[in-house]
Amino acid sequence: MKKIVLITFALFLGLNTFAQRRDRMGNPVVNREPTEKDIENYKRKIEERKEEFIANFLTTLEADEFQKEIIKQYLNSYFDAKQEVLKVKYERNFDREEAVKKLDNSHFKELEELISKDDMAKIKEMIKGNFDEQEVKKEKKKKRKKRKKDKG
C-alpha cells in the first residue's frame, strides 16, 4: 500500500512540474507549430541579418562603390543559391558537400576579373566562414565614438 501511495505521489508531482515548465524569461513553454506570421517574421529577420552581414563585410574591402555594389549582388545570389543547394535532398552527405564546393568554386569566377586579388581572397575567406564580423562592428563603434568626440 505504501508503495502505491509513494508511486502515485511521485507521478503526480512529476506531471505537475512538467506541466509548469517555463523558459528563461519566465514564460510558459508551449509546443506548437509556427504560424504563417511566425514564418514570415523569421524569414524577414534572416533577410535583414543577411543584408547586415554583407554590409559589414563590404566595409572591409578596398573596392570602389561600383565594385562593392557588384560584389553585394554576387554575395546575395551566392547565399540564395547556397540555400537552394542545402534544401535539396541528397542520398549522401558527401553529395551535398560536393555541390557546395562546386558552387563555391564556380560562383565568383566572373567576379575575379573585376576586383583585386586581395578582395577576392577576402571573399574566399568569408565563404569558408573565416570572417569575424565582431571585429568590424568594434571598428565601426570606435569610429563613431571618435567622430562624436571630435564634434563635441
Side-chain angles (χ1 to χ4, degrees), residues 114-127:
L114 300 174
I115 62 173
S116 69
K117 292 184 185 230
D118 289 339
D119 286 347
M120 195 63 211
K122 287 180 183 179
I123 291 173
K124 294 284 186 185
E125 288 297 311
M126 188 266 301
I127 289 172

Side-chain angles (χ1 to χ4, degrees), residues 53-54 56-58 60-61 71 74-76 78-79 82 104 108 119-133:
F53 180 80
I54 290 173
N56 285 337
F57 175 72
L58 289 176
T60 64
L61 300 179
I71 293 169
Y74 268 89
L75 289 174
N76 275 322
Y78 169 78
F79 286 127
K82 187 170 183 178
D104 291 348
F108 295 101
D119 286 347
M120 195 63 211
K122 287 180 183 179
I123 291 173
K124 294 284 186 185
E125 288 297 311
M126 188 266 301
I127 289 172
K128 291 178 186 174
N130 297 334
F131 174 61
D132 186 15
E133 189 177 15

Side-chain angles (χ1 to χ4, degrees), residues 63-64 66-67 70 74 109-116:
D64 61 12
F66 179 71
Q67 289 175 328
I70 292 173
Y74 268 89
K109 285 287 184 198
E110 298 164 4
L111 190 62
E112 288 177 351
E113 301 167 2
L114 300 174
I115 62 173
S116 69

Side-chain angles (χ1 to χ4, degrees), residues 36-126:
E36 288 293 321
K37 187 177 178 182
D38 293 338
I39 292 171
E40 287 300 317
N41 285 339
Y42 182 72
K43 286 181 180 179
R44 182 182 47 79
K45 286 180 184 177
I46 287 177
E47 191 63 32
E48 289 172 0
R49 179 68 184 108
K50 180 175 82 170
E51 293 299 323
E52 179 186 351
F53 180 80
I54 290 173
N56 285 337
F57 175 72
L58 289 176
T59 61
T60 64
L61 300 179
E62 299 163 359
D64 61 12
E65 291 303 313
F66 179 71
Q67 289 175 328
K68 284 184 180 181
E69 189 61 35
I70 292 173
I71 293 169
K72 181 179 179 180
Q73 291 173 358
Y74 268 89
L75 289 174
N76 275 322
S77 65
Y78 169 78
F79 286 127
D80 293 340
K82 187 170 183 178
Q83 192 172 21
E84 291 301 317
V85 167
L86 294 176
K87 283 182 182 178
V88 174
K89 300 233 187 265
Y90 290 96
E91 286 185 28
R92 299 178 301 180
N93 198 22
F94 176 75
D95 296 335
R96 174 176 281 120
E97 290 171 4
E98 286 298 315
V100 170
K101 281 183 186 176
K102 185 177 178 182
L103 176 67
D104 291 348
N105 293 333
S106 65
H107 192 76
F108 295 101
K109 285 287 184 198
E110 298 164 4
L111 190 62
E112 288 177 351
E113 301 167 2
L114 300 174
I115 62 173
S116 69
K117 292 184 185 230
D118 289 339
D119 286 347
M120 195 63 211
K122 287 180 183 179
I123 291 173
K124 294 284 186 185
E125 288 297 311
M126 188 266 301

